[in-house]
Amino acid sequence: MLSRLLAVTFEADDPAGAARFWSGLLGREIVEDAGGVLLPGGDAQLGLRFVPGRAGRVGANRMHLHLTSADLDDQRHTVATAVRLGGRPVDVGQRPEEAHVVLADPAGYEFCVIEPGNGYLAGCGPLGELTCAGTRQAGLFWSTALGWPLVWDRGEQTAIQSPRGGTKVAWDAWDGTPVAPNRQRFELLPADGDQRAAVDALIALGAARLDACDDGTVVLADPDGTEFRVRPAGRDLAG
């Protein structure tokens, strides 16, 4: 394992506003740096980063977050807090009998507040899961790239989780059409400080090199063609 998942990055017209929303909802600190606005996740929770958006048509979101609930009162409180902070209910085709609540944050990214008693997300913490549109091949790639074992592998559905536990990352088949640019992406750090070795290892696993940024960040795509980035060493703000 040569790379570590620092955060999932979301492009937004108002990155600071999106960060304030999630900071208030998750109770996290906000860290500003040259890479944008980061909400560190710590050892067992996925970090969130918000950056300015790029020009281009906005397509369907390919990643969304699942928040967990201890009980019904906790679920209602999370939903009410999200609305108070600027979130809004959205209809993505959920059925009336489904117990989870679907909302969108101020940047327009959907997320779900999962009902209590969900055994699959038990023990994952407040930010229980990041669900991604993608294939089983992508799940297997990321399991190897991060050194996170598979915790779900049925049909086209896969999920991985850090050996330390915490937020799961899952992939499922998707009937949407990808639209460039991809406004949600993984942000990695070289685990041992060697960015070149980390990039070479990811390419050997099936990633494709796309570009390089002025700050030294390398832009790659996973086997599904989904963009992600490997930052230079020495930029670890997550602790």
Side-chain angles (χ1 to χ4, degrees), residues 190 192-202 215-218 230-233:
D192 61 359
D194 189 337
Q195 184 194 33
R196 177 176 293 182
V199 169
D200 288 346
L202 290 162
D215 66 355
T217 297
V218 177
V230 182
R231 303 182 79 196

Side-chain angles (χ1 to χ4, degrees), residues 83-95:
V83 172
R84 176 177 57 81
L85 292 171
R88 57 183 174 83
V90 293
D91 182 359
V92 295
Q94 64 269 34
R95 297 185 297 273

Side-chain angles (χ1 to χ4, degrees), residues 9 15 31-38 49-52 185 187 213-217 229 231-232 234-235 237:
T9 295
V31 178
E32 296 187 35
D33 68 356
V37 188
L38 177 68
R49 186 186 290 282
F50 301 93
V51 300
R185 56 184 176 269
E187 179 179 327
C213 302
D214 291 341
D215 66 355
T217 297
R229 302 189 179 191
R231 303 182 79 196
R235 297 176 179 271
L237 295 174

Side-chain angles (χ1 to χ4, degrees), residues 2 11 17 42 46 56 62 73 86 88 116 128 131 134 139 142-143 147 154 178 187 203-204 216 230 232:
L2 296 177
E11 294 187 7
L46 182 62
R62 286 178 275 182
D73 285 341
R88 57 183 174 83
T131 298
W142 284 108
S143 176
R154 298 185 183 180
E187 179 179 327
I203 291 173
V230 182

Side-chain angles (χ1 to χ4, degrees), residues 72-188:
L72 284 175
D73 285 341
D74 184 44
Q75 185 185 30
R76 295 188 190 104
H77 175 74
T78 300
V79 171
T81 300
V83 172
R84 176 177 57 81
L85 292 171
R88 57 183 174 83
V90 293
D91 182 359
V92 295
Q94 64 269 34
R95 297 185 297 273
E97 65 270 20
E98 292 178 315
H100 65 275
V101 179
V102 185
L103 303 165
D105 71 7
Y109 292 106
E110 300 92 354
F111 65 98
C112 297
V113 183
I114 303 300
E115 69 279 3
N118 185 295
Y120 169 72
L121 295 180
C124 291
L127 180 48
E129 184 177 50
L130 172 71
T131 298
C132 311
T135 65
R136 180 175 183 270
Q137 183 183 9
L140 297 178
F141 167 85
W142 284 108
S143 176
T144 303
L146 299 175
W148 288 17
L150 284 169
V151 293
W152 185 270
D153 187 13
R154 298 185 183 180
E156 279 299 304
Q157 296 181 331
T158 55
I160 63 176
Q161 187 179 34
S162 166
R164 300 186 300 273
T167 306
K168 292 178 178 177
V169 181
W171 289 264
D172 196 0
W174 184 55
D175 58 5
T177 301
V179 174
N182 183 15
R183 300 177 186 276
Q184 302 157 287
R185 56 184 176 269
F186 292 156
E187 179 179 327
L188 308 185

